[in-house]
Amino acid sequence: MSSKKISRALVSVFYKDNLDPIIHFLGKQGVEFVSTGGTQDFIEKLGYKVTPVEKLTGYPSIFGGRVKTLHPAVFGGILYRRDHAGDISQSEEFKIGPIDLVIVDLYPFEETVAGGGSEADIVEKIDIGGISLIRAAAKNFNDVLIVSARSQYQELLELLQEKKGASELADRKRFAAKAFDVTSHYDSAIFNYFNQVQQLPSFKASVTQGKVLRYGENPHQQGVFFGALEDLFDQLNGKELSYNNLVDVDAAIHLVKEFDGEKAFVIIKHTNACGVATAHDVKTAYLKAFQADTISAFGGVLATNQKLDLAAAEEINKLFFEILIAPDFESQALELLKSKKNRIILKQKQPLKVVKQFKSLLNGVIEQDLDLKTDSAADLKIVTKRKPTGEQTEALLFASKICKHTKSNTIILAVNGQLLASGVGQTSRVDALKQAIEKAAAFGFNLKGSVMASDAFFPFPDCVEIADQQGIEAVIQPGGSIKDQDSIAYCDQHNMTMVFTGTRHFKH
């Protein structure tokens, strides 16, 4: 039969919050409880009789609690098939009673790792009995209902109330799927902890939260975001984030993070920066960033690393934009910005802590370390006769930070604290430079005295020649070409300064 009435429940959980309504409901239905340890005490304090697991197994909890439920009297009661003559006969022979409901959660392994626990503490949080009970009950979904996490308690209670202490096959299969989601995630977390050291060539990523998006990159594509976005942001206004919104938000917060300790503002369009600036206040930083490309900023994603005040909000409010991100907002500023109901306003609650990135590729997945290297003054090798001034060095490092977050091939033109123009995603570095020069001219910038950053080395001296013709005086690049000397020689002949970082920043 599809409908199964619950008569006996095994309950053994680490987290007991919100469990009591379920215990009360089952108890009033006359369900027999089987439990152990702290959960047994919890149920008994609620006023219900409990059969200790030790009474079923004939063994006490041994080896410091490592072995409690691993016994045929427990697993037999879960796994035996109620419609199988052989199983029924053996259950009678060995006096194994059926268990119809299993409520079990797992030791907090991930929480212990995240909390900086010792290896001994972490290893003790690798659940053995619990995960075995979950898998057993989920496997026998034809007869057993499995509840594998406290997040499922409310759903279970509503189900029991609706169906008067019974469950249908569809219910049990749904909870079984949730159970295997829990166990597979748990095992992945354990493997990834050990693999930090072992570095086995195996890829396992598990995210248990997902949100279906309106669509993917385009309306004919489906899209889902997997992750706990609410841990990173509070959305204070606006419509739901789309696939493309999320991609641009990711680009914006990675770029603005480069300017910790400074007051910075960035404007992103299709993952590339069309405006970046630092200044003594947010309003000035925004106006300088906006100045770099007043056209592309329309419909862009804006981000700052400072509390956004009313003065900045009054300027930003003049622009049509999709998203604004800040660590905090003055109340008057927020009230003004919320005047447009569709504007997405995000309060970033914590910095990103991601150190790896991956994506599907061909018939597999490709993974790499995140590019966490930010070029600093200590990295610079001056390769020309002319040395950069202090201001030029600051401008070069500023441009290098933007370059790192721009699609290759890329050239960044800047002065200290302001992006002037960029050439992005070009098939040649010369094309990227020409694009940047043309864009700078279109927005009224004179490049004399500015600096140039390149994400990779110059295979030929053509880029420094073109830069020189525009009045650009300083260049930062990784170096590493067999023809580096040609570019160095040109700079020396034309009184330019150039530094090598030794680090390439391709971005594809």
Side-chain angles (χ1 to χ4, degrees):
M1 292 175 60
S2 173
S3 180
K4 300 278 186 179
K5 185 78 172 176
I6 296 167
S7 61
R8 198 177 192 213
L10 170 62
V11 187
S12 180
V13 296
F14 188 88
Y15 297 106
K16 300 169 185 66
D17 41 315
N18 300 319
L19 179 64
D20 48 313
I22 295 170
I23 300 301
H24 283 304
F25 182 89
L26 293 171
K28 290 173 183 177
Q29 293 280 316
V31 172
E32 177 190 350
F33 294 109
V34 178
S35 190
T36 185
T39 309
Q40 178 182 340
D41 294 339
F42 177 83
I43 297 171
E44 288 175 338
K45 285 178 181 177
L46 292 176
Y48 302 100
K49 186 178 178 181
V50 177
T51 300
V53 166
E54 294 87 343
K55 185 175 179 180
L56 292 186
T57 64
Y59 283 89
S61 174
I62 57 176
F63 307 129
R66 285 188 166 197
V67 179
K68 290 182 284 191
T69 58
L70 296 169
H71 192 279
V74 176
F75 281 85
I78 295 169
L79 283 166
Y80 94 78
R81 293 160 289 186
R82 282 35 162 195
D83 59 355
H84 189 281
D87 285 9
I88 294 170
S89 175
Q90 286 188 317
S91 72
E92 293 171 351
E93 178 184 356
F94 296 106
K95 297 181 173 56
I96 296 174
I99 294 173
D100 313 300
L101 170 64
V102 175
I103 304 176
V104 174
D105 61 9
L106 299 172
Y107 291 157
F109 177 84
E110 288 181 281
E111 294 87 339
T112 306
V113 172
S118 67
E119 183 177 274
D121 289 338
I122 290 168
V123 168
E124 283 307 307
K125 291 301 186 289
I126 298 176
D127 207 309
I128 303 300
I131 202 164
S132 301
L133 289 166
I134 291 171
R135 290 178 63 84
K139 178 176 180 176
N140 198 21
F141 61 81
N142 276 316
D143 301 303
V144 181
L145 179 62
I146 172 64
V147 177
S148 53
R150 56 179 166 169
S151 59
Q152 301 166 22
Y153 288 175
Q154 184 59 35
E155 184 180 357
L156 171 66
L157 182 60
E158 291 172 2
L159 170 67
L160 295 174
Q161 290 171 337
E162 178 189 349
K163 299 184 177 177
K164 298 178 173 57
S167 66
E168 303 293 333
L169 179 60
D171 302 320
R172 297 190 295 275
K173 288 185 78 169
R174 184 175 70 256
F175 276 91
K178 291 173 181 281
F180 287 121
D181 181 31
V182 168
T183 59
S184 63
H185 177 80
Y186 195 76
D187 283 338
S188 293
I190 294 169
F191 168 78
N192 287 329
Y193 168 74
F194 281 95
N195 210 39
Q196 292 177 99
V197 175
Q198 303 304 322
Q199 294 291 296
L200 302 178
S202 179
F203 176 81
K204 287 181 174 61
S206 176
V207 183
T208 56
Q209 290 180 260
K211 180 178 176 58
V212 176
L213 305 174
R214 284 174 287 164
Y215 50 80
E217 203 162 6
N218 299 292
H220 63 277
Q221 296 170 270
Q222 292 183 339
V224 182
F225 174 78
F226 294 100
L229 202 62
E230 64 276 8
D231 291 348
L232 190 59
F233 298 111
D234 283 333
Q235 183 166 345
L236 307 179
N237 193 66
K239 57 188 178 182
E240 287 189 359
L241 287 156
S242 70
Y243 181 101
N244 292 329
N245 288 157
L246 289 166
V247 173
D248 283 341
V249 166
D250 181 75
I253 62 175
H254 273 105
L255 176 54
V256 80
K257 188 177 185 298
E258 295 286 349
F259 300 97
D260 286 349
E262 301 177 86
K263 293 181 173 67
F265 204 100
V266 307
I267 304 173
I268 298 290
K269 198 70 173 286
H270 295 296
T271 74
N272 292 306
C274 58
V276 182
T278 57
H280 59 278
D281 60 68
V282 179
K283 173 184 172 181
T284 305
Y286 163 71
L287 290 172
K288 287 169 66 179
F290 178 64
Q291 188 181 16
D293 188 339
T294 57
I295 296 174
S296 296
F298 183 87
V301 172
L302 285 54
T304 181
N305 57 4
Q306 301 293 313
K307 184 175 184 177
L308 201 132
D309 56 26
L310 180 61
E314 287 173 338
E315 290 297 332
I316 294 167
N317 193 51
K318 299 173 185 176
L319 175 70
F320 169 77
F321 61 87
E322 285 277 340
I323 302 170
L324 174 61
I325 309 160
D328 204 357
F329 298 83
E330 287 186 358
S331 57
Q332 289 180 300
L334 183 60
E335 183 180 355
L336 175 63
L337 293 165
K338 289 171 70 174
S339 61
K340 302 286 194 300
K341 67 177 184 178
N342 286 332
R343 277 180 179 164
I344 298 170
I345 301 176
L346 301 176
K347 178 180 177 180
Q348 186 173 352
K349 298 189 285 187
Q350 58 177 310
L352 276 178
K353 299 172 184 175
V354 179
V355 296
K356 295 278 189 181
Q357 60 183 170
F358 60 88
K359 63 180 178 181
S360 60
L361 191 71
L362 300 174
N363 62 342
V365 173
I366 192 168
E367 181 190 53
Q368 67 171 355
D369 297 333
L370 201 65
D371 184 358
L372 298 175
K373 171 64 178 173
T374 298
D375 297 326
S376 67
D379 299 313
L380 303 185
K381 179 183 178 183
I382 302 168
V383 295
T384 51
K385 294 176 182 176
R386 179 181 171 184
K387 296 181 179 180
T389 64
E391 185 174 352
Q392 284 176 327
T393 297
E394 290 181 9
L396 290 167
L397 293 172
F398 173 85
S400 176
K401 290 176 181 178
I402 304 169
C403 203
K404 170 183 165 182
H405 293 273
T406 308
K407 292 292 177 68
S408 301
N409 289 311
T410 185
I411 292 289
I412 298 296
L413 305 180
V415 291
N416 188 22
Q418 185 179 27
L419 169 67
L420 303 182
S422 59
V424 304
Q426 298 301 302
T427 53
S428 84
R429 208 153 297 282
V430 171
D431 286 345
L433 176 54
K434 289 179 178 178
Q435 182 189 55
I437 291 169
E438 182 179 345
K439 193 170 183 179
F443 291 99
F445 290 110
N446 184 339
L447 295 176
K448 185 172 177 58
S450 64
V451 306
M452 174 173 73
S454 174
D455 58 336
F457 63 63
F458 297 122
F460 305 102
D462 43 12
C463 281
V464 291
E465 292 176 24
I466 296 169
D468 176 44
Q469 293 164 10
Q470 297 295 318
I472 295 166
E473 296 181 359
V475 179
I476 185 170
Q477 58 137 318
S481 169
I482 59 173
K483 294 189 175 182
D484 276 345
Q485 193 55 46
D486 292 350
S487 295
I488 294 170
Y490 183 91
C491 288
D492 284 339
Q493 291 165 13
H494 295 82
N495 198 32
M496 297 176 71
T497 181
M498 183 161 63
V499 298
F500 287 177
T501 65
T503 303
R504 189 181 73 185
H505 292 295
F506 270 167
K507 185 175 175 63
H508 293 105

